Amino acid sequence: MAETVRCVRGILCNFRSFLHTEMLLALLVLHVVSPFYNTAAVEILRPRGVSLLHKPFYDESKPFTCLDGSATIPFDQVNDDYCDCKDGTDEPGTAACPNMKYYCSNKGFTPKTIPSSRVNDGICDCCDGTDEYSGLILCEDKCREMGAVELEQRRKQAEVINKGFQMRQNLVADGKQVRQDREAKLNALKEEKQVEETKKQEAQAAKEAAEAPEKEAVDKHKKAWEEVKAARELEKQKEAGTAAFAELDLDGDGLIKLEEFQTHLEFDDDVDGEVTEEEAKTHLGDVTEVDLDRFLTESWPKIKDLYQGEKDKAKAPPAEEPTKGDTDEPPSEDPVPPPTDEEEEREEEEEEERFEEDDNDDEVEDEDDDDDLDDDLDDDYPDEEEEPDVDMTKDEAKPDEDEMPEYDEETKQLIAAADQARAEYTEANKKVNDIDTQIRQLEKQLGTDFGPESEYSSLDGQCFELETKEYKYKLCPFDKCTQSPKHGGSETTLGRWEKWAGPEENKYIAMKYTKGQNCWNGPDRSTEVRMTCGIENKLLSASEPNRCEYVFDFETPAMCTQEVPTNPEFTHEEL
Ligand code: MAN
């Protein structure tokens, strides 16, 4: 208890020895009776300000050696408010030595070390109040009260940790089960794939077997149709050529001569207004005259695109140059009556009808209107009530002439059989593809590290959101992290799952998501997810400590790896 008395070397030396016994007794009484005099029982057992750890160095029965070994002094100079040791260890309980630490044991709460300059400075620094003993101020011992609050907090925390631990046990069991199930499913799928692959090959062979005769029959049908079309075209050309021959053979002697040819200005190659003998000869096929046979085989194929027959001339005034489109069109075999006649006729009819309408009553007028409509439609469709006349049948049949005829029954059956085989193959192929997709997904899941005991497995496929003032953040464990502006704008990927990223000895406490959307003039966005123990899976916070580098805090029972005592106490040193 020597430290409780201020001792100034050379003045109070005797006083100190005098007090040693008397004061000891007196202060011991004070310790016991006064609730405000905070020096607890432990203080009696070691000099003030000394921690349990250092107590062995302070033995009252021996001289004190400074802890740095710099000096040895009589023990009653310890805590005499005079700094003897270079390291200040002779004054653990006073403010005499600079840079010394004062230790308050804070019984009932946690011990604390304060700079010894704060000893007796009039401010209560330690909850047990032992740093203030000069009488300047009385410090109440608040350690037990604070300790009770602290212990309650720790108890609640322990409850959470233990509940989380229980939940984790389930997560581990579930995770392992899921893994086993996936492994079993993967094996089953691999076997199923073999079966389905065989079926697919069979279906493919059946398809090919059905397609070969189908192709043969279809090709045959198409080829025949091409031949029909070619023959028709030949016939058409022969008719057009014969007509042209008749037109060109002006004197009807069965020969086209140069002078007859020269009457057609379309053969005026140099467009000088006259068809020379040379120009006529070139078009005729280097001869001066041709009969019909030679004309059809040699001349007509060359001039047919150029030639303007009488009908064409009637349609287009000769002054106009033939346009490219006109020359590409083969001469019409079945010419349309000159539009002028038709229009005239139509106009006359309409004129008459209009005239009649003026004289008729409303009812008749309506009927006439209907007739008009029918007349208009007659151009395109046969009147249902009328017997179709020959021309109309021809008109209706006309488009079919250019359409390939239906396949014969045998070919139709071959096509139907091939269609069926194709559908069966498509189905078999789809089955194999579906199995492949499932296998790939399972292999990916089985290849993902869901923790040493598969405890994080249940987080896969879930997403957790958090809203801040500006953004909605989303964490989809083992997939990605995103950020969406709350006031409009598209979602930004802040990183895709890469790996566990805690320190080597504890890697499952942090996740790393990388290769997110590129940051303008910066790196790709990335996110670190720090995991803590909690009784629910919850995204607690999201921040961006560096531009485009994000940190999420996430709590999960999967992180509650240890049980803790439900009745926490302060440790021995704390007591
Ligand atoms: C967006 C957000 C921010 C980020 C900037 C970088 O505004 O993704 O988090 O800092 O882009 O330009």
PDB file of all heavy atoms in Angstrom, residues 471 483 492 494 519-520 525 544 547-548 550, ligand 1:
ATOM      1  N   TYR A 471     -29.302   3.311 -55.031  1.00  0.00           N
ATOM      2  CA  TYR A 471     -29.311   2.073 -55.813  1.00  0.00           C
ATOM      3  C   TYR A 471     -30.039   0.931 -55.126  1.00  0.00           C
ATOM      4  O   TYR A 471     -30.193   0.922 -53.911  1.00  0.00           O
ATOM      5  CB  TYR A 471     -27.870   1.597 -56.076  1.00  0.00           C
ATOM      6  CG  TYR A 471     -27.028   2.550 -56.857  1.00  0.00           C
ATOM      7  CD1 TYR A 471     -26.010   3.274 -56.235  1.00  0.00           C
ATOM      8  CD2 TYR A 471     -27.222   2.734 -58.229  1.00  0.00           C
ATOM      9  CE1 TYR A 471     -25.215   4.153 -56.957  1.00  0.00           C
ATOM     10  CE2 TYR A 471     -26.431   3.608 -58.950  1.00  0.00           C
ATOM     11  CZ  TYR A 471     -25.433   4.318 -58.310  1.00  0.00           C
ATOM     12  OH  TYR A 471     -24.653   5.180 -59.025  1.00  0.00           O
ATOM     13  N   GLN A 483     -26.203  -3.842 -59.641  1.00  0.00           N
ATOM     14  CA  GLN A 483     -26.574  -2.543 -59.084  1.00  0.00           C
ATOM     15  C   GLN A 483     -27.585  -1.920 -60.047  1.00  0.00           C
ATOM     16  O   GLN A 483     -27.336  -1.867 -61.245  1.00  0.00           O
ATOM     17  CB  GLN A 483     -25.302  -1.681 -59.030  1.00  0.00           C
ATOM     18  CG  GLN A 483     -25.481  -0.252 -58.612  1.00  0.00           C
ATOM     19  CD  GLN A 483     -24.293   0.605 -59.055  1.00  0.00           C
ATOM     20  OE1 GLN A 483     -23.964   0.653 -60.235  1.00  0.00           O
ATOM     21  NE2 GLN A 483     -23.658   1.261 -58.110  1.00  0.00           N
ATOM     22  N   THR A 492     -26.558  -2.744 -63.744  1.00  0.00           N
ATOM     23  CA  THR A 492     -25.122  -2.863 -64.026  1.00  0.00           C
ATOM     24  C   THR A 492     -24.592  -4.089 -63.294  1.00  0.00           C
ATOM     25  O   THR A 492     -24.873  -4.268 -62.108  1.00  0.00           O
ATOM     26  CB  THR A 492     -24.384  -1.613 -63.495  1.00  0.00           C
ATOM     27  OG1 THR A 492     -24.954  -0.468 -64.094  1.00  0.00           O
ATOM     28  CG2 THR A 492     -22.902  -1.657 -63.816  1.00  0.00           C
ATOM     29  N   LEU A 494     -21.941  -5.966 -61.344  1.00  0.00           N
ATOM     30  CA  LEU A 494     -20.785  -5.545 -60.534  1.00  0.00           C
ATOM     31  C   LEU A 494     -19.768  -6.679 -60.385  1.00  0.00           C
ATOM     32  O   LEU A 494     -18.825  -6.552 -59.614  1.00  0.00           O
ATOM     33  CB  LEU A 494     -21.250  -5.091 -59.149  1.00  0.00           C
ATOM     34  CG  LEU A 494     -22.303  -3.976 -59.110  1.00  0.00           C
ATOM     35  CD1 LEU A 494     -22.598  -3.598 -57.668  1.00  0.00           C
ATOM     36  CD2 LEU A 494     -21.831  -2.756 -59.876  1.00  0.00           C
ATOM     37  N   CYS A 519     -15.792  -0.156 -66.103  1.00  0.00           N
ATOM     38  CA  CYS A 519     -15.965   1.169 -65.525  1.00  0.00           C
ATOM     39  C   CYS A 519     -15.368   2.173 -66.504  1.00  0.00           C
ATOM     40  O   CYS A 519     -14.256   1.965 -66.980  1.00  0.00           O
ATOM     41  CB  CYS A 519     -15.199   1.192 -64.220  1.00  0.00           C
ATOM     42  SG  CYS A 519     -15.520   2.591 -63.217  1.00  0.00           S
ATOM     43  N   TRP A 520     -16.107   3.214 -66.794  1.00  0.00           N
ATOM     44  CA  TRP A 520     -15.630   4.182 -67.787  1.00  0.00           C
ATOM     45  C   TRP A 520     -14.258   4.707 -67.385  1.00  0.00           C
ATOM     46  O   TRP A 520     -14.068   5.174 -66.259  1.00  0.00           O
ATOM     47  CB  TRP A 520     -16.631   5.336 -67.911  1.00  0.00           C
ATOM     48  CG  TRP A 520     -16.311   6.226 -69.059  1.00  0.00           C
ATOM     49  CD1 TRP A 520     -16.450   5.951 -70.378  1.00  0.00           C
ATOM     50  CD2 TRP A 520     -15.772   7.542 -68.984  1.00  0.00           C
ATOM     51  NE1 TRP A 520     -16.038   7.015 -71.139  1.00  0.00           N
ATOM     52  CE2 TRP A 520     -15.616   8.021 -70.313  1.00  0.00           C
ATOM     53  CE3 TRP A 520     -15.397   8.385 -67.922  1.00  0.00           C
ATOM     54  CZ2 TRP A 520     -15.111   9.272 -70.618  1.00  0.00           C
ATOM     55  CZ3 TRP A 520     -14.898   9.640 -68.220  1.00  0.00           C
ATOM     56  CH2 TRP A 520     -14.754  10.075 -69.554  1.00  0.00           C
ATOM     57  N   ARG A 525     -15.778  -3.684 -63.214  1.00  0.00           N
ATOM     58  CA  ARG A 525     -16.304  -3.615 -61.855  1.00  0.00           C
ATOM     59  C   ARG A 525     -16.086  -4.964 -61.135  1.00  0.00           C
ATOM     60  O   ARG A 525     -16.132  -6.020 -61.776  1.00  0.00           O
ATOM     61  CB  ARG A 525     -17.797  -3.287 -61.872  1.00  0.00           C
ATOM     62  CG  ARG A 525     -18.080  -1.829 -62.206  1.00  0.00           C
ATOM     63  CD  ARG A 525     -19.569  -1.603 -62.348  1.00  0.00           C
ATOM     64  NE  ARG A 525     -19.916  -0.214 -62.498  1.00  0.00           N
ATOM     65  CZ  ARG A 525     -19.777   0.490 -63.612  1.00  0.00           C
ATOM     66  NH1 ARG A 525     -19.285  -0.076 -64.688  1.00  0.00           N
ATOM     67  NH2 ARG A 525     -20.127   1.765 -63.659  1.00  0.00           N
ATOM     68  N   GLU A 544     -18.959   1.363 -51.901  1.00  0.00           N
ATOM     69  CA  GLU A 544     -18.013   1.443 -53.022  1.00  0.00           C
ATOM     70  C   GLU A 544     -16.774   2.206 -52.525  1.00  0.00           C
ATOM     71  O   GLU A 544     -16.610   3.384 -52.835  1.00  0.00           O
ATOM     72  CB  GLU A 544     -18.691   2.185 -54.199  1.00  0.00           C
ATOM     73  CG  GLU A 544     -17.921   2.134 -55.496  1.00  0.00           C
ATOM     74  CD  GLU A 544     -18.642   2.879 -56.628  1.00  0.00           C
ATOM     75  OE1 GLU A 544     -19.795   3.329 -56.434  1.00  0.00           O
ATOM     76  OE2 GLU A 544     -18.025   3.034 -57.697  1.00  0.00           O
ATOM     77  N   ARG A 547     -13.618   3.568 -56.579  1.00  0.00           N
ATOM     78  CA  ARG A 547     -14.511   3.663 -57.737  1.00  0.00           C
ATOM     79  C   ARG A 547     -14.605   2.312 -58.447  1.00  0.00           C
ATOM     80  O   ARG A 547     -13.588   1.721 -58.825  1.00  0.00           O
ATOM     81  CB  ARG A 547     -13.998   4.754 -58.687  1.00  0.00           C
ATOM     82  CG  ARG A 547     -14.968   5.087 -59.761  1.00  0.00           C
ATOM     83  CD  ARG A 547     -14.579   6.374 -60.439  1.00  0.00           C
ATOM     84  NE  ARG A 547     -15.216   6.443 -61.738  1.00  0.00           N
ATOM     85  CZ  ARG A 547     -14.644   6.103 -62.871  1.00  0.00           C
ATOM     86  NH1 ARG A 547     -13.399   5.700 -62.884  1.00  0.00           N
ATOM     87  NH2 ARG A 547     -15.313   6.172 -63.997  1.00  0.00           N
ATOM     88  N   CYS A 548     -15.798   1.824 -58.589  1.00  0.00           N
ATOM     89  CA  CYS A 548     -16.105   0.572 -59.285  1.00  0.00           C
ATOM     90  C   CYS A 548     -15.572  -0.673 -58.566  1.00  0.00           C
ATOM     91  O   CYS A 548     -15.525  -1.757 -59.131  1.00  0.00           O
ATOM     92  CB  CYS A 548     -15.639   0.601 -60.736  1.00  0.00           C
ATOM     93  SG  CYS A 548     -16.559   1.823 -61.695  1.00  0.00           S
ATOM     94  N   TYR A 550     -16.579  -2.668 -55.214  1.00  0.00           N
ATOM     95  CA  TYR A 550     -17.679  -2.662 -54.250  1.00  0.00           C
ATOM     96  C   TYR A 550     -17.413  -3.657 -53.126  1.00  0.00           C
ATOM     97  O   TYR A 550     -16.690  -4.637 -53.316  1.00  0.00           O
ATOM     98  CB  TYR A 550     -19.001  -3.011 -54.952  1.00  0.00           C
ATOM     99  CG  TYR A 550     -19.286  -2.057 -56.103  1.00  0.00           C
ATOM    100  CD1 TYR A 550     -18.693  -2.254 -57.351  1.00  0.00           C
ATOM    101  CD2 TYR A 550     -20.111  -0.959 -55.933  1.00  0.00           C
ATOM    102  CE1 TYR A 550     -18.922  -1.374 -58.399  1.00  0.00           C
ATOM    103  CE2 TYR A 550     -20.350  -0.072 -56.978  1.00  0.00           C
ATOM    104  CZ  TYR A 550     -19.756  -0.281 -58.209  1.00  0.00           C
ATOM    105  OH  TYR A 550     -19.974   0.593 -59.227  1.00  0.00           O
TER     106      TYR A 550
HETATM  107  C1  MAN B   1     -22.170   4.299 -62.089  1.00  0.00           C
HETATM  108  C2  MAN B   1     -22.223   3.431 -60.859  1.00  0.00           C
HETATM  109  C3  MAN B   1     -21.242   3.889 -59.816  1.00  0.00           C
HETATM  110  C4  MAN B   1     -19.866   4.028 -60.428  1.00  0.00           C
HETATM  111  C5  MAN B   1     -19.906   4.884 -61.668  1.00  0.00           C
HETATM  112  C6  MAN B   1     -18.548   4.908 -62.365  1.00  0.00           C
HETATM  113  O1  MAN B   1     -22.665   5.538 -61.802  1.00  0.00           O
HETATM  114  O2  MAN B   1     -21.937   2.130 -61.257  1.00  0.00           O
HETATM  115  O3  MAN B   1     -21.194   2.978 -58.739  1.00  0.00           O
HETATM  116  O4  MAN B   1     -18.962   4.606 -59.511  1.00  0.00           O
HETATM  117  O5  MAN B   1     -20.857   4.379 -62.575  1.00  0.00           O
HETATM  118  O6  MAN B   1     -18.551   5.707 -63.458  1.00  0.00           O
END
